[in-house]
Amino acid sequence: MLQLHGINAHYGKLHVLHDFSLSIRDGERVGIFGHNGAGKTTLLRACVGDLDECQGRVSYRGQDLAPGEAHRNVVHGMGFVPQGHNVFRDLSVAENLEIAGLRNAQQALGEVYALFPLLQERTQQIASSLSGGQQQMLALGMALMTRPSILLLDEPTIGLAPVIVRDVLRSVTQINRTKGTTLVIVEQNVQATLENVDRAVVIKSGRIIFDGASSELLAQESLWELF
Ligand SMILES: Nc1ncnc2c1ncn2[C@@H]1O[C@H](COP(=O)(O)OP(=O)(O)OP(=O)(O)O)[C@@H](O)[C@H]1O
Ligand SMILES: [Mg+2]
């Protein structure tokens, strides 16, 4: 279980997350939605301890996570793929995966290649020459090299063509199905994501305005006006 309790996050004078509480069970697949600037990225950064000004309590599997200790929280089993370009562009596919691996690197590498056979076909290809979707696969693969029990993804399909969007989201869902990995996915592609998660959380101005079954949001498009 990942638990956030009474989180207040600031950037200087800007108060972004307001007394924010959320619990996510092991194995759950949660989509986080909301307008630009709503606080989605800030929420993921709070979860992994990547914020300087964050009050409140974050715990994962019963252990309190210290703010500003994102690197240590990887060891607790948290995998975080930040928004944007997340690969070392000048290194090959294999070198990127190698750098990302902490422990059990060989076994993890086998798992990543089994999930994304394309990466195994392209081990020597320089990351910057991969397509956008392939780079996202590599970024996901890098996060998986730490064998996380929870994966937090910030807009993993940004800038991708609709058919690739579904491919990436399906790969992520497969990780959940085969390994039981908890998923927390921030996405702008609302419909495609709702088809791949169990629960939807909608954020507005740093507060939760909807938290329920993804099927409920899918069935009632009128609710999409929330965001
Ligand atoms: N490092 C920072 N310094 C100052 N302000 C920031 C910083 N990061 C984010 N903000 C501000 O905090 C608010 C929330 O930003 P956040 O990145 O969490 O939004 P978001 O929901 O992820 O938006 P988007 O959909 O555009 O990615 C915004 O008003 C943003 O301008
Ligand atoms: Mg963001």
Side-chain angles (χ1 to χ4, degrees):
M1 177 102 88
L2 171 67
Q3 279 187 301
L4 284 85
H5 187 73
I7 296 292
N8 283 286
H10 299 258
Y11 298 108
K13 286 197 178 120
L14 185 67
H15 191 174
V16 177
L17 295 179
H18 299 262
D19 200 20
F20 198 102
S21 296
L22 181 69
S23 296
I24 294 176
R25 292 189 308 278
D26 287 350
E28 219 175 354
R29 302 177 301 171
V30 183
I32 311 277
F33 308 101
H35 286 303
N36 294 122
K40 306 179 297 296
T41 295
T42 305
L43 170 62
L44 291 194
R45 293 182 65 196
C47 291
V48 299
D50 186 35
L51 290 175
D52 294 331
E53 299 171 81
C54 181
Q55 291 85 43
R57 186 162 166 238
V58 182
S59 67
Y60 182 55
R61 294 190 158 177
Q63 274 196 298
D64 278 0
L65 302 184
E69 303 249 325
H71 55 290
R72 278 211 213 159
N73 296 336
V74 172
V75 179
H76 290 300
M78 305 187 104
F80 177 39
V81 182
Q83 195 166 357
H85 302 288
N86 302 301
V87 300
F88 298 103
R89 294 178 54 78
D90 298 332
L91 300 182
S92 70
V93 167
E95 287 165 339
N96 266 283
L97 292 172
E98 200 175 305
I99 283 179
L102 286 179
R103 301 158 294 171
N104 310 310
Q106 271 314 315
Q107 198 174 347
L109 194 60
E111 289 169 6
V112 169
Y113 284 148
L115 188 65
F116 300 117
L118 178 125
L119 295 181
Q120 189 158 27
E121 290 162 21
R122 307 289 181 91
T123 50
Q124 298 314 309
Q125 187 169 342
I126 296 301
S128 60
S129 68
L130 295 170
S131 74
Q134 293 165 349
Q135 287 188 34
Q136 283 297 2
M137 272 180 211
L138 179 55
L140 275 174
M142 289 168 72
L144 292 173
M145 286 298 290
T146 61
R147 308 185 97 204
S149 50
I150 184 168
L151 201 47
L152 302 110
L153 308 175
D154 198 351
E155 304 207 19
T157 70
I158 197 161
L160 303 180
V163 6
I164 315 279
V165 166
R166 288 199 149 71
D167 275 355
V168 170
L169 290 172
R170 263 199 297 269
S171 304
V172 171
T173 308
Q174 201 184 335
I175 297 167
N176 166 271
R177 261 205 315 272
T178 58
K179 302 173 70 72
T181 312
T182 310
L183 297 177
V184 184
I185 312 176
V186 167
E187 261 298 339
Q188 302 282 356
N189 287 298
V190 179
Q191 169 132 19
T193 306
L194 285 175
E195 290 165 7
N196 284 285
V197 296
D198 315 300
R199 177 176 165 197
V201 173
V202 182
I203 298 176
K204 188 173 183 181
S205 306
R207 295 180 171 89
I208 294 177
I209 54 166
F210 176 91
D211 183 355
S214 51
S215 52
E216 197 180 330
L217 264 194
L218 256 181
Q220 294 188 54
E221 245 176 80
S222 60
L223 286 175
W224 295 21
E225 286 169 16
L226 289 175
F227 53 95

